[in-house]
């Protein structure tokens, strides 16, 4: 069954994000969905034709992770945003876990934002390691590199230039401030609450 692009038009009008920037970003995301489906179909056909030992198959197989993660990370990213933002419930188990693991919410926020302002393109992901029950802020350089195996993404921030340059130029820190005002913390808390418990 092919993947279908989700509609995130409800984010249009989000303070700090021009409609032009968001529409461009939605189009880019839709391209990842299209390419994920194309690659899945081509790889399936090559398997049926016995072409799995070819260099073409190998390169397309490697490319699949880029397209799939580009699709899914954008869905997490747009999914944890809402026009006007939603505050974090300080009575939630997630808030307690965040403060336990980082010492304070402020420490976590400083680390997350600092990760986002590092030089380079990529993503910042707040991950839950369900085996150790531990939270990490992680830098992902490319869609398919840097993920923590088995960990669950809770909060995703896109820091590729397309996420902010139309509105902010090189002022990535200003974009990050706008992003924080648009976080839907109820979604993040729900991801945390629904995370499976895992043992090895």
């Amino acid at each position: 069954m092919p993947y279908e692009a989700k509609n995130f038009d409800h984010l249009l009008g989000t303070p700090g994000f021009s409609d032009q920037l968001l529409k461009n970003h939605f189009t880019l995301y839709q391209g990842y969905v299209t390419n994920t489906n194309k690659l899945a179909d081509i790889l399936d056909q090559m398997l049926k034709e016995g072409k799995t030992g070819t260099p073409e198959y190998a390169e397309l197989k490697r490319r699949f992770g880029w397209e799939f993660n580009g699709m899914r990370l954008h869905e997490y990213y747009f999914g944890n945003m809402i026009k006007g933002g939603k505050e974090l419930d300080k009575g939630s188990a997630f808030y307690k876990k965040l403060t336990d693991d980082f010492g304070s919410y402020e420490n976590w926020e400083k680390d997350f934002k600092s990760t986002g302002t590092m030089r380079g393109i990529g993503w910042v992901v707040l991950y839950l390691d369900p085996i150790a029950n531990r939270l990490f802020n992680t830098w992902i350089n490319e869609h398919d590199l840097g993920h923590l195996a088995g960990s669950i993404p809770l909060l995703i921030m896109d820091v590729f230039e397309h996420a902010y340059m139309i509105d902010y130029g090189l002022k990535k820190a200003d974009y990050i401030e706008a992003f924080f005002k648009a976080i839907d913390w109820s979604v993040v808390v729900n991801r945390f609450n629904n995370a499976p418990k895992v043992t090895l």
Side-chain angles (χ1 to χ4, degrees):
M1 183 187 325
Y3 291 100
E4 293 185 12
K6 300 180 186 306
N7 188 315
F8 296 106
D9 284 350
H10 63 277
L11 292 175
L12 295 173
T14 298
F17 294 80
S18 69
D19 284 354
Q20 180 187 358
L21 181 142
L22 287 170
K23 286 177 180 178
N24 285 353
H25 208 165
F26 298 159
T27 300
L28 184 126
Y29 152 67
Q30 290 160 2
Y32 284 114
V33 177
T34 298
N35 287 338
T36 297
N37 287 323
K38 282 181 182 176
L39 281 177
D41 290 345
I42 293 168
L43 287 166
D44 183 55
Q45 188 61 37
M46 292 181 83
L47 176 63
K48 290 174 182 172
E49 294 172 359
K51 296 181 179 177
T52 56
T54 64
E56 293 82 6
Y57 180 86
E59 288 308 308
L60 291 175
K61 199 72 165 176
R62 289 186 182 100
R63 183 71 185 183
F64 185 79
W66 167 266
E67 299 294 348
F68 181 90
N69 285 348
M71 172 185 71
R72 191 51 44 84
L73 286 169
H74 279 99
E75 291 170 350
Y76 275 112
Y77 168 70
F78 294 131
N80 59 218
M81 293 173 64
I82 192 169
K83 204 180 307 182
K86 275 192 186 172
E87 288 188 14
L88 175 54
D89 177 4
K90 294 184 178 178
S92 65
F94 169 74
Y95 184 83
K96 183 178 185 321
K97 182 65 179 159
L98 201 66
T99 56
D100 286 350
D101 283 7
F102 286 89
S104 69
Y105 171 86
E106 291 73 21
N107 284 346
W108 168 79
E109 182 177 306
K110 181 179 180 182
D111 185 65
F112 191 92
K113 288 180 175 178
S114 295
T115 305
T117 56
M118 291 174 7
R119 287 177 58 79
I121 55 168
W123 302 83
V124 183
V125 179
L126 170 61
Y127 269 121
L128 170 66
D129 172 9
I131 296 170
N133 190 31
R134 188 170 171 191
L135 298 172
F136 292 96
N137 289 325
T138 304
W139 173 265
I140 296 169
N141 192 54
E142 301 281 3
H143 303 331
D144 51 349
L145 299 172
H147 295 278
L148 303 183
S151 295
I152 299 161
L154 302 177
L155 176 67
I156 313 295
M157 180 173 66
D158 191 343
V159 285
F160 274 80
E161 287 97 340
H162 62 250
Y164 61 88
M165 283 195 78
I166 288 175
D167 290 350
Y168 294 97
L170 297 176
K171 296 178 180 176
K172 192 181 349 179
D174 291 347
Y175 154 71
I176 292 172
E177 291 302 318
F179 170 78
F180 262 73
K181 291 175 184 170
I183 294 174
D184 185 344
W185 282 108
S186 68
V187 169
V188 179
V189 168
N190 191 50
R191 290 172 181 168
F192 176 79
N193 290 340
N194 291 318
K197 306 301 179 214
V198 178
T199 56
L200 292 177

